[in-house]
Amino acid sequence: MFLKRRCIGSKQVESMEESAAECCCMSLLDLPELALEGILARLPAVSLAHMACVCQELRKRCRSNYLWEHLFQQKWARIAGPSAFREWQRHLSSQAEMGGATTVVDRSSSSSMRGLWGWPLSCLWPFSWLNLQGEEPATNPPLNSLMAWYWALESGTFWFPAQVYNRENGHVGFMLSCYDAELSYDRHSDSFRARYLPHGPRTIVVEEGVKWERLRAPPLDTPAHDLHLSDCLEELQPGDHIEVQWRRNKDFPYGWWYGVVGHAETCSRESHRCCCHLYETVWLEFNQYTLGSRWRWAAIDRKNHREEGNEADGFYGGIRKLRTKEEICIWERMWPSETLE
């Protein structure tokens, strides 16, 4: 009986040893396809980049545009819009021209990029790509991939166009405005450097430490020096939230300023009697200023508005109506603690 039990016990030990050996020989790639995809989809960008250096099979999987589109949407989509992507393409094209060579674009990858932004990639040239640890990875990501686009932004070496609320650390002269700038990310402080277009004779202004909540992708393709052609004038009525282009003089770029559509002075302001939406004049109201301030009101022509104003009060350009609560809430969070003069 003792020998029989001993024999059974030794067989159990051997079976356990064999199972342990089999487990030691298993790799991540032995997992079911769905399980492996689930693991990779939950990795942060740094870990996914490191995983791409393990082997050829994982490199192929970890460079997938499907995985990097998710990471891009999580971190960058709100501030890095189509204009930033076009600038990145121009940067790569200029590098290609300087180097006198081009990179062949993989059709399957570029079609996914077109689905994200709507522009094809062309004339790409390798650039220096460093991971977050400051170490050179085993391989560079393909430039016609979302992985490369993600790291172009993450590295901080690429300046991309965006817009900044309350520029120059909330300078009183820019409260409740949003201006075009070029941004560079600082991953150590998780903030940005903002480089603004020069105003007249002023040199370029650079602001450090700009936080995420003060940034947005340009909602329109209109350059900062161009007049936006308004498409909402006919529908504007009191209570509508708007952004209007404004500049000090015609040598300056426009900024977008927040306001609401107000009532005419003769209006009773009673909803059932108000006819302001029928008038040819639209009153713009900027409630962040005191009642006696010259910046409190501005009037524009609903039918023939182009750019209106003068050298003393500045020039009002195009108007865009804010149609979502999200956009309006962002402006309301920026509201100054004190009424401006």
Side-chain angles (χ1 to χ4, degrees):
M1 180 67 69
F2 173 76
L3 292 175
K4 185 177 180 181
R5 289 180 178 176
R6 183 176 180 183
C7 182
I8 293 174
S10 63
K11 288 182 179 179
Q12 289 177 339
V13 170
E14 289 176 2
S15 177
M16 292 174 61
E17 290 177 347
E18 290 176 0
S19 299
E22 290 177 0
C23 291
C24 292
C25 293
M26 288 184 65
S27 74
L28 190 65
L29 296 175
D30 293 323
L31 291 173
E33 188 74 17
L34 190 59
L36 179 56
E37 286 186 5
I39 292 172
L40 296 181
R42 287 167 174 77
L43 291 179
V46 178
S47 300
L48 194 60
H50 284 311
M51 187 72 77
C53 301
V54 172
C55 66
Q56 185 174 356
E57 179 62 27
L58 283 175
R59 181 182 306 126
K60 178 181 178 181
R61 291 175 178 271
C62 293
R63 287 177 171 180
S64 165
N65 281 343
Y66 168 77
L67 295 175
W68 287 95
E69 181 176 357
H70 173 68
L71 291 169
F72 183 90
Q73 293 292 339
Q74 280 187 324
K75 184 165 186 177
W76 293 106
R78 189 178 65 81
I79 67 171
S83 59
F85 183 70
R86 289 196 298 267
E87 185 60 32
W88 182 56
Q89 286 188 283
R90 282 192 289 268
H91 171 72
L92 296 176
S93 296
S94 65
Q95 293 295 314
E97 292 173 2
M98 291 173 60
T102 59
T103 300
V104 177
V105 178
D106 176 63
R107 293 183 181 273
S108 60
S109 298
S110 61
S111 63
S112 176
M113 297 288 278
R114 283 196 299 272
L116 183 66
W117 293 122
W119 290 279
L121 289 170
S122 60
C123 300
L124 304 181
W125 182 249
F127 60 92
S128 177
W129 179 68
L130 303 177
N131 65 22
L132 290 187
Q133 306 302 321
E135 302 171 352
E136 190 72 25
T139 58
N140 291 335
L143 291 183
N144 55 325
S145 67
L146 284 173
M147 183 180 183
W149 172 221
Y150 183 101
W151 288 109
L153 298 167
E154 189 79 20
S155 67
T157 58
F158 173 66
W159 291 77
F160 63 95
Q163 291 181 343
V164 183
Y165 295 97
N166 295 352
R167 60 173 283 181
E168 298 181 34
N169 296 307
H171 186 285
V172 66
F174 296 106
M175 294 300 292
L176 289 191
S177 69
C178 196
Y179 274 80
D180 285 71
E182 291 181 330
L183 301 179
S184 173
Y185 181 58
D186 180 3
R187 61 178 178 265
H188 301 294
S189 63
D190 192 29
S191 64
F192 295 81
R193 294 177 292 275
R195 188 164 60 193
Y196 300 105
L197 297 173
H199 279 58
R202 294 180 61 185
T203 58
I204 293 177
V205 176
V206 177
E207 180 182 352
E208 302 282 345
V210 180
K211 299 300 183 181
W212 287 85
E213 59 267 21
R214 290 178 53 207
L215 303 175
R216 73 177 184 185
L220 302 170
D221 285 334
T222 308
H225 284 277
D226 292 354
L227 178 71
H228 169 62
L229 299 179
S230 310
D231 59 359
C232 62
L233 297 181
E234 291 295 330
E235 64 178 288
L236 290 180
Q237 56 185 325
D240 285 343
H241 297 257
I242 54 96
E243 292 177 12
V244 57
Q245 288 179 311
W246 183 87
R247 57 182 174 179
R248 169 63 71 179
N249 63 51
K250 295 194 175 184
D251 292 328
F252 286 14
Y254 285 112
W256 288 97
W257 294 74
Y258 171 71
V260 296
V261 177
H263 295 268
E265 293 182 1
T266 57
C267 180
S268 65
R269 296 175 180 261
E270 297 178 9
S271 58
H272 63 285
R273 294 184 179 181
C274 177
C275 297
C276 294
H277 61 286
L278 302 176
Y279 297 162
E280 291 190 5
T281 299
V282 177
W283 291 91
L284 307 180
E285 188 173 355
F286 305 95
N287 293 321
Q288 63 269 34
Y289 294 98
T290 59
L291 286 174
S293 172
R294 62 174 176 166
W295 309 112
R296 175 80 180 206
W297 295 88
I300 64 166
D301 189 311
R302 189 190 299 270
K303 299 293 185 180
N304 303 303
H305 174 64
R306 295 291 293 176
E307 181 182 63
E308 300 178 23
N310 53 60
E311 294 291 338
D313 298 329
F315 296 87
Y316 295 87
I319 296 174
R320 62 180 296 259
K321 181 179 177 180
L322 303 183
R323 302 182 184 276
T324 66
K325 290 183 178 179
E326 181 181 2
E327 284 189 300
I328 296 171
C329 287
I330 290 174
W331 284 111
E332 291 176 343
R333 288 199 299 268
M334 301 285 173
W335 200 266
S337 57
E338 298 180 0
T339 306
L340 307 177
E341 296 294 335

